[in-house]
Amino acid sequence: MLEYIDETWKQLALLPQDTYDRAKAHFWAKFVDAKCVPTIMSVITQKGEDQQRATKEAQQNLKILEGELERKLFLGGDTINIADIAAGSMWYCVKSGGITQG
């Protein structure tokens, strides 16, 4: 959906023009979709030891994202892109699943 918006309304620019930066945006969006979201959903839906394992894995994935965000406002650097939107869409589940501390 976001790629459709990017291609249809060029003024929104959800993907960087630079091919390397575009590839990074795709990588991080895929990381969120393939790694983060499934483990977060497992934390919410599992119980007992399975939930504990899923929580640990979800926290590790979120630490990877946090490491990428060091000294940057967005995963895309100075501007928001599809990776940031993908990551932002999961935060409600992160909080409601008790994955973060505080």
Side-chain angles (χ1 to χ4, degrees), residues 5-21:
I5 292 169
D6 184 68
E7 291 175 13
T8 304
W9 293 284
K10 296 294 184 189
Q11 68 274 19
L12 296 177
L14 296 176
L15 282 168
Q17 294 302 310
D18 179 75
T19 55
Y20 177 72
D21 291 338

Side-chain angles (χ1 to χ4, degrees), residues 16 21 25 28 69 72-81 83-84:
D21 291 338
W28 288 112
L69 282 167
K72 290 195 261 182
L73 290 174
F74 305 104
L75 288 169
D78 295 331
T79 58
I80 194 168
N81 67 35
D84 302 292

Side-chain angles (χ1 to χ4, degrees), residues 4 22 44 50 53 57 60 63 66 74 92-93 96 100:
Y4 170 78
R22 183 180 285 257
I44 294 169
D50 290 337
R53 273 193 295 279
E57 187 176 347
Q60 289 171 343
K63 282 189 182 289
E66 185 178 45
F74 305 104
Y92 176 77
C93 293
S96 66
T100 61

Side-chain angles (χ1 to χ4, degrees), residues 40-97:
I40 290 166
M41 294 309 294
S42 290
V43 170
I44 294 169
T45 60
Q46 299 295 321
K47 301 285 184 216
E49 288 181 24
D50 290 337
Q51 186 182 45
Q52 290 174 351
R53 273 193 295 279
T55 299
K56 189 174 219 164
E57 187 176 347
Q59 287 172 336
Q60 289 171 343
N61 290 335
L62 293 173
K63 282 189 182 289
I64 292 169
L65 280 180
E66 185 178 45
E68 180 62 20
L69 282 167
E70 269 187 29
R71 295 182 216 93
K72 290 195 261 182
L73 290 174
F74 305 104
L75 288 169
D78 295 331
T79 58
I80 194 168
N81 67 35
I82 64 168
D84 302 292
I85 295 169
S89 69
M90 72 178 175
W91 287 118
Y92 176 77
C93 293
V94 169
K95 282 295 204 184
S96 66

